[in-house]
Amino acid sequence: MTRSLDDQALEILRANDRGGYTVPTARLYPYQWNWDSAFAALGFSFVDRDRAWAEIETLFDAQWPDGMVPHIIFRRNDPDYFPGPDIWQTNVDPPTSGHSQPPVASSIVYEMVERGDASDLARAHALLPKLIAYHRWFHTARDHQGTGVLGIVHPWESGRDNCPDWDLGMDRIEIADDLGPYQRRDIGHVDPAERPQPAQYDRYLTIIKFGRECGWNHAELARNGPFWMADPGIQFILMRADRDLLRLAQAVGETAAIPEIEAWIAHLEDGCQQLWNPDAGAFCAKDLRTGTFSPCLTNAAMLAHYAGAGTEGQRQRMAETARRVVDDVAFAFPSWDPRGSAFESRRYWRGPIWAVVNYMIQKGLAEHGETRLADRIKTDTLALIARSGFCEYFDPLTGDGLGGRDFTWTAAIHIALSSDATTARAA
Ligand code: GLC
C-alpha cells in the first residue's frame, strides 16, 4: 500500500518536473516557488540525488545580487497565472516576484548531506556561499532595526497567505484606488470557497503596487510599506535553518563563517521572546507597526520545537496546547486553532492542514522527546494522503482533500515520512 503510494508520489514529482525545477502543481501554480522547490528536493533526494541537487541549484540561480531568493521564479511566461511578471516588475533575469518565502533550503540541504556521501557534501560546499548570502539578507533586510524579530512585507512572504494572523495588518491597508480591473486565475482552477476572499486580493495587490513603485527597495518596504508583521513561522524556520547552516559550515570546514552564523542564532533566540503572547500562552504573530498580537495558536507557531525556540517551559506550554488542539480535530495539525472565531476548516490557511508544515512540526517534536504528539501528526499526514490523495491541503475535521491536486510538496512529504531513514531518525 505504502509502496504504491510512494510510486504515485514519485510519478507526481516527475510529472511536475519542468527540467531542473518542479512546479507545485500544473495550471494553478505554473512556476518555480521557493519553499516548494526545497521540499521537492527533499522528496527527490530519497530516489534521485542528482535531480534533488538540481532543484536547489536552479532555485539559487535566481538569487538576487543582494542575496534574496525570491518567492516565485517566472521561468516561462504563462498567461494563465495572476499576478505574473508584468505586475511584479522586478527587472531581474529570470523575472521573479519581489519578496521571499520561508527559508527552508539550508535545512533541506543539511538533511541531504546527513543522509548522503562525499559527493553530496561537495555539492553542499559549492552552494554554501549562496546559502550564507540568503541568510544574511534575511537577517538584515527583514530585521533592519536589529531587534532579533524578523518582519515580513507581504502575507505571501510567510507562505501562509491568508492565515487569520495577517488580518491585523491587512485590515489596516487602504486599498489603492487605481488597481484597475484584474482577473484572478486561481478561482478558475479551485473552488473559491477554498481560496482567499476578493477584499484580501485587493490588499495583496496594493502591497505589490507599493513594492513596484519603490523599485522593490527592501528598506523602504520595511519602514513605510503597507504591511510589516512578525511571523513565528519565518522566525522559527530561519532559526532552524541557521542552526543547520552552522552544521553545514562545520561539516565542510568553513570555519570563517561560523561566528557570524552563531551571532544570528543568538539574536533570533532573544527576539523570540517578543513573539510570546502571554494572553494566548503561545508564540503568535505580531503587527510590528502597532505591537498588537494575533490571538491564536497556528501550525507555524508549533515550529517552536523545530527551531529550538523559547524556554523549556514555553515549549512545554506549546505542547500542552497542541495536545488540546489535536483532541479538537479528526486530523492534525490545523493551521488555525479550531476554537478561534476565524477558523474555517476548508479555506486555505485559515484552518486546513498542510503536509509540509506537519513534516517540520513532527520532526521538531520528535527531537524534543514529544514522541506521542509527533507520531500522531506523522500518522495523520500519511492517513490523509492515503484517504484523499496528494492534495494541496486537507480539512482537519473531515479529512477531505482540498485545493490543487497532484501536489509536488505533498508527494515529497509522503516520500520523506514513509522512508525508513526518516522513521529511524525520528525514533
Ligand atoms: C500558495 C501557498 C504557498 C505556496 C504556493 C505554491 O501560495 O500559500 O505557501 O508556496 O501556493 O504552492
Side-chain angles (χ1 to χ4, degrees):
M1 177 72 177
T2 306
R3 185 66 227 142
S4 80
L5 278 172
D6 269 348
D7 285 347
Q8 288 173 40
L10 185 56
E11 272 165 33
I12 290 173
L13 292 187
R14 298 277 188 218
N16 289 339
D17 186 350
R18 295 292 178 272
Y21 73 96
T22 312
V23 297
T25 186
R27 292 180 294 283
L28 181 62
Y29 300 118
Y31 298 112
Q32 182 172 23
W33 261 258
N34 181 329
W35 69 330
D36 297 68
S37 250
F39 286 111
L42 175 71
F44 274 125
S45 72
F46 288 89
V47 282
D48 183 345
R49 282 313 180 97
D50 196 50
R51 183 60 191 78
W53 283 108
E55 187 80 33
I56 302 270
E57 287 158 1
T58 56
L59 177 63
F60 278 82
D61 280 349
Q63 184 167 37
W64 284 19
D66 62 14
M68 184 180 86
V69 180
H71 107 286
I72 309 176
I73 300 139
F74 302 110
R75 292 193 183 277
R76 285 181 217 161
N77 197 25
D78 188 329
D80 206 18
Y81 180 83
F82 181 85
D86 50 325
I87 304 285
W88 289 91
Q89 292 176 23
T90 50
N91 296 319
V92 287
D93 185 27
T96 71
S97 63
H99 57 69
S100 196
Q101 247 195 339
V104 289
S106 296
S107 295
I108 304 291
V109 166
Y110 182 64
E111 278 203 43
M112 282 160 52
V113 163
E114 250 190 324
R115 273 186 287 109
D117 56 25
S119 70
D120 295 286
L121 197 61
R123 282 180 89 164
H125 198 170
L127 210 56
L128 195 70
K130 293 185 170 191
L131 294 172
I132 293 174
Y134 184 28
H135 287 225
R136 191 179 292 127
W137 174 82
F138 248 112
H139 283 281
T140 50
R142 294 300 184 249
D143 183 12
H144 66 114
Q145 291 172 316
T147 58
V149 176
L150 302 161
I152 54 170
V153 301
H154 195 299
W156 291 347
E157 192 155 60
S158 72
R160 304 183 294 124
D161 304 11
N162 71 333
C163 180
D165 272 347
W166 317 130
D167 292 358
L168 283 173
M170 288 278 277
D171 284 350
R172 294 192 315 101
I173 296 179
E174 229 173 276
I175 297 171
D177 49 20
D178 53 350
L179 291 177
Y182 62 88
Q183 195 192 348
R184 282 175 67 176
R185 298 290 180 165
D186 58 323
I187 44 180
H189 298 299
V190 168
D191 181 351
E194 298 168 18
R195 297 287 306 179
Q197 308 267 24
Q200 277 168 332
Y201 235 83
D202 285 347
R203 290 181 167 86
Y204 295 150
L205 293 176
T206 299
I207 306 173
I208 296 178
K209 179 172 181 283
F210 184 96
R212 193 171 61 222
E213 287 173 355
C214 73
W216 294 104
N217 178 318
H218 305 306
E220 179 60 14
L221 273 154
R223 286 198 201 99
N224 301 314
F227 185 93
W228 181 241
M229 284 190 73
D231 171 18
I234 288 281
Q235 181 93 8
F236 294 164
I237 287 170
L238 186 63
M239 254 177 104
R240 172 63 182 237
D242 279 344
R243 296 191 201 281
D244 290 331
L245 185 68
L246 182 67
R247 293 180 188 115
L248 278 172
Q250 285 161 340
V252 300
E254 285 290 346
T255 48
I258 290 174
E260 185 181 15
I261 304 173
E262 285 176 339
W264 290 337
I265 296 170
H267 205 48
L268 288 191
E269 280 173 346
D270 287 348
C272 283
Q273 289 310 322
Q274 296 177 56
L275 296 186
W276 182 258
N277 177 353
D279 295 336
F283 291 105
C284 287
K286 193 182 206 178
D287 189 337
L288 293 174
R289 300 256 189 261
T290 61
T292 317
F293 274 118
S294 174
C296 277
L297 180 84
T298 59
N299 56 349
M302 272 311 300
L303 296 173
H305 294 78
Y306 174 78
T311 62
E312 172 110 31
Q314 286 170 328
R315 285 194 296 272
Q316 271 170 15
R317 184 81 192 272
M318 295 295 289
E320 273 162 34
T321 310
R323 277 187 271 278
R324 192 268 296 157
V325 169
V326 158
D327 284 344
D328 281 348
V329 290
F331 297 92
F333 200 89
S335 44
W336 186 253
D337 188 335
R339 294 192 189 175
S341 58
F343 178 76
E344 291 181 73
S345 69
R346 301 177 76 84
R347 200 184 291 280
Y348 220 32
W349 291 92
R350 302 180 82 85
I353 297 166
W354 294 74
V356 287
V357 184
N358 274 9
Y359 177 75
M360 294 183 285
I361 299 176
Q362 62 83 35
K363 190 174 162 91
L365 288 171
E367 287 168 352
H368 282 81
E370 294 284 356
T371 321
R372 282 186 59 180
L373 209 44
D375 282 350
R376 163 83 196 263
I377 293 167
K378 177 178 167 180
T379 311
D380 281 7
T381 313
L382 291 170
L384 283 165
I385 297 171
R387 182 179 189 282
S388 304
F390 296 90
C391 294
E392 186 179 4
Y393 44 96
F394 302 88
D395 184 325
L397 305 182
T398 63
D400 289 349
L402 303 167
R405 299 296 187 262
D406 295 339
F407 225 84
T408 292
W409 67 13
T410 310
I413 293 307
H414 193 278
I415 294 173
L417 283 182
S418 61
S419 83
D420 290 338
T422 307
T423 313
R425 267 206 318 283

